[in-house]
């Protein structure tokens, strides 16, 4: 027999338990200033995968080009007692390709992939034959690729209470002939977009208007956005403004309204 415990039917919950997005995705066109926004977010760490942080100041940055480096950074953060409130990835668009090596490692651990790194009876490895796991016949490597991506995102989410994922925008033409329009979405390959979206509590499209950067959570045919928190749902938030002296003023308190 297992342990006994008491349970009772709940009353009506009048307020949400949390308001802050725990997993926020921000996507935009290049050079809008996504990474610069973090200079105004205290207790944050930028995980720079695209090597785009060299011109930033007043920001904590660690760079990673491989999954092994990401794991090493995570180990360092945990040994330090998880000192950050926010971890930002720049960008998840660049994270996808570096997960290929990890996907091959996962594939090599199962019986069907035992000859991926080890020579088969003919003395050649699967990697020598196919190049990378995504070239396996009938898309046989994609499930391992998706698994690798999801495992890495889940691991990074253990580093801090909040994760911010920066991504590039992908333009897609939808419709036919005179009814075509451009749809803006996260630039992620195949099912990776579904994985990222399903884990997020808010997805916002960042665009520049004058001296302001505006984060839109408005869902439409043209832009694939949305948010679970009430204060963000179907809203447009001014997230930063360029001041007369050239400095950037940010308004993260409009996104993260609950104090940690």
């Amino acid at each position: 027999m297992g342990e006994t415990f008491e349970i009772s039917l709940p009353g009506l919950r009048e307020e949400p338990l949390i308001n802050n997005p725990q997993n926020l995705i921000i996507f935009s066109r290049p050079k809008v200033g996504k990474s610069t926004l973090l200079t105004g977010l205290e207790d944050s760490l930028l995980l720079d995968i695209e090597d785009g942080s060299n011109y930033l100041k007043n920001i904590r940055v660690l760079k990673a080009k491989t999954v092994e480096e990401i794991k090493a950074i995570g180990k360092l953060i945990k040994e330090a007692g998880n000192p950050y409130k926010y971890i930002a990835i720049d960008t998840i668009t660049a994270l996808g390709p570096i997960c290929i090596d990890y996907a091959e490692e996962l594939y090599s651990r199962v019986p069907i992939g035992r000859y991926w790194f080890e020579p088969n009876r003919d003395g050649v490895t699967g990697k020598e034959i196919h190049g990378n796991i995504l070239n396996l016949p009938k898309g046989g490597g994609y499930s391992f690729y998706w698994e690798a991506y999801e495992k890495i995102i889940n691991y990074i989410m253990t580093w801090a209470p909040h994760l911010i994922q920066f991504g590039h925008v992908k333009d897609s033409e939808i419709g036919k002939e005179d009814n075509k329009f451009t749809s803006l979405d996260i630039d992620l390959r195949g099912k990776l977009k579904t994985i990222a979206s399903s884990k997020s509590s808010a997805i916002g499209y960042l665009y520049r208007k004058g001296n302001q950067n505006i984060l839109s959570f408005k869902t439409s045919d043209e832009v694939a956005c949305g948010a679970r928190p009430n204060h963000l749902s179907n809203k447009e938030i001014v997230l930063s403004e360029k001041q007369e002296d050239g400095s950037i003023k940010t308004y993260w308190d409009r996104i993260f309204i609950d104090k940690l």
Side-chain angles (χ1 to χ4, degrees):
M1 296 290 291
E3 293 183 8
T4 60
F5 60 94
E6 294 184 2
I7 187 170
S8 60
L9 296 177
L12 181 66
R13 180 187 295 167
E14 297 182 355
E15 296 293 336
L17 296 180
I18 57 173
N19 292 293
N20 290 347
Q22 293 178 297
N23 188 348
L24 171 63
I25 295 177
I26 298 176
F27 68 104
S28 73
R29 298 186 185 280
K31 309 303 180 185
V32 171
K34 296 186 295 295
S35 301
T36 305
L37 294 171
L38 290 180
T39 60
L41 186 60
E42 293 183 3
D43 300 317
S44 65
L45 173 72
L46 175 63
L47 179 62
D48 182 5
I49 295 174
E50 283 198 332
D51 200 25
S53 63
N54 293 338
Y55 295 97
L56 298 178
K57 62 180 182 178
N58 299 323
I59 191 170
R60 298 180 184 89
V61 180
L62 282 173
K63 296 184 179 183
K65 289 295 184 182
T66 66
V67 170
E68 287 71 24
E69 290 175 349
I70 292 174
K71 290 180 178 179
I73 290 171
K75 184 174 183 292
L76 188 65
I77 289 173
K78 289 177 180 295
E79 288 174 348
N82 297 75
Y84 306 108
K85 295 179 181 178
Y86 309 92
I87 300 292
I89 304 173
D90 188 19
T91 64
I92 52 173
T93 305
L95 178 61
I98 73 172
C99 286
I100 292 177
D101 288 344
Y102 187 35
E104 292 177 347
E105 178 186 334
L106 296 175
Y107 180 65
S108 71
R109 297 175 186 172
V110 299
I112 195 174
R114 64 187 180 277
Y115 295 124
W116 184 255
F117 293 120
E118 297 294 327
N120 59 20
R121 294 176 183 176
D122 298 323
V124 294
T125 67
K127 186 165 181 62
E128 289 172 334
I129 295 171
H130 299 289
N132 76 54
I133 196 171
L134 301 185
N135 295 329
L136 283 175
K138 299 180 181 180
Y142 275 89
S143 62
F144 296 92
Y145 179 52
W146 301 328
E147 181 185 357
Y149 182 88
E150 188 167 17
K151 281 180 177 291
I152 288 300
I153 290 294
N154 287 344
Y155 178 56
I156 296 173
M157 287 179 69
T158 67
W159 297 0
H162 297 287
L163 176 64
I164 302 169
Q165 303 182 60
F166 292 126
H168 293 315
V169 71
K170 179 180 180 181
D171 293 349
S172 300
E173 265 197 353
I174 298 178
K176 297 181 179 179
E177 299 176 356
D178 296 336
N179 294 322
K180 285 184 178 180
F181 65 91
T182 299
S183 174
L184 304 181
D185 207 345
I186 310 166
D187 186 11
L188 283 175
R189 189 171 188 170
K191 194 175 177 179
L192 294 189
K193 183 179 69 175
T194 304
I195 293 171
S197 300
S198 66
K199 290 182 173 295
S200 69
S201 43
I203 302 175
Y205 173 62
L206 185 71
Y207 67 95
R208 184 174 294 162
K209 185 175 181 181
N211 66 338
Q212 297 179 330
N213 273 352
I214 300 172
L215 188 56
S216 175
F217 296 100
K218 288 188 174 181
T219 302
S220 68
D221 290 335
E222 290 78 20
V223 184
C225 295
R228 293 190 182 116
N230 290 332
H231 70 289
L232 301 178
S233 180
N234 209 33
K235 301 290 198 312
E236 289 199 332
I237 310 291
V238 175
L239 191 52
S240 71
E241 286 183 305
K242 190 172 184 179
Q243 307 299 295
E244 291 184 1
D245 61 1
S247 63
I248 302 295
K249 184 175 182 180
T250 60
Y251 304 99
W252 284 106
D253 57 343
R254 298 173 180 176
I255 306 296
F256 300 105
I257 61 176
D258 289 341
K259 298 296 183 182
L260 295 181

